[in-house]
Amino acid sequence: MKQIIDVIAKLFSVKRKRVSTSDPTFILEKLYSSIDGFYISKAERERLKINDTSFIYGEISSESFTEALAIAQPQAGNIIYDLGSGTGKAVIYAALIYDWKKCVGIEFLPGLCQVSQALLNNFLCMKEIHQHFSHKHFPIKFIQGDFLNVDFSDADIIYLNATTLNPVLWDKLTKKLNELKQGARVILSTKKLEESYFEKIHQALYPMSWGDCTVFIYQKK
Ligand SMILES: C[S@@+](CC[C@H](N)C(=O)[O-])C[C@H]1O[C@@H](n2cnc3c(N)ncnc32)[C@H](O)[C@@H]1O
């Protein structure tokens, strides 16, 4: 009899583990349920005849991003940039789980940036946002353009999915990153920063949409 009760109790507890509608991961999955960033990116690259590895699409998982952000220790009122923000998933997710002064995504491909802006509008109208986050501020902005031409020197945290960036672009970008303010953190996939400018505070393998990938977290000296 006790065994039967235990089994029923276990089943009941499994049932009760349903994801809450206030869970940021649930909200993100709902918002992006019909969005395929890979498809949009491929169509945009074909349309614009872009054949540069820098524009290959890939996404960080919300679990990996949560972990990496926690290590970067955002403080209330910080500013974050996602350099190459794709459909804006990481930017919207970061805005949900921390309180920022500014949360900015910069994306070169117009089709991807337009989708991120449209999704931001949908996000702000979601019933889950009105229900559970009505007092939260979402200072999110998406900029369409080349991140080399945008001033991000006020960043406290930079997220950069840099795995496929070509060496010429990477060289120019590191020069801008070297100008970041002291204490700024950079969450970076695959590529490394110059240790004369940055202290490496973390390195680990994280699952990405294309498989496991080394993520480095640096702090500006
Ligand atoms: C690997 S995806 C990362 C998407 C998102 N940040 C994530 O991690 O989930 C890289 C993105 O950077 C964009 N990109 C590449 N070079 C860029 C540049 N110079 N300026 C702005 N965006 C760029 C690509 O179009 C692509 O959408």
Side-chain angles (χ1 to χ4, degrees), residues 18-19 29 42-43 49 59 80 88 93 100 102-104 116 126 146 151 157 160 165 186 190 199 207 218:
R18 278 188 56 199
V19 184
E29 274 172 19
K42 190 167 174 283
K49 300 189 175 28
E59 285 179 355
I80 184 170
Y93 188 68
W100 306 94
K102 217 163 72 173
C103 220
V104 187
S116 63
M126 280 173 87
D146 185 340
D151 178 9
I157 297 190
L160 178 51
L165 293 189
V186 181
T190 309
E199 181 193 350
Y218 289 93

Side-chain angles (χ1 to χ4, degrees), residues 54-56 58-60 82 84 107-108 112 145-147 159 161:
S54 301
F55 296 94
I56 292 173
E59 285 179 355
I60 191 166
D82 179 1
E107 172 55 51
F108 183 82
L112 281 174
D146 185 340
F147 46 57
Y159 166 56
N161 196 328

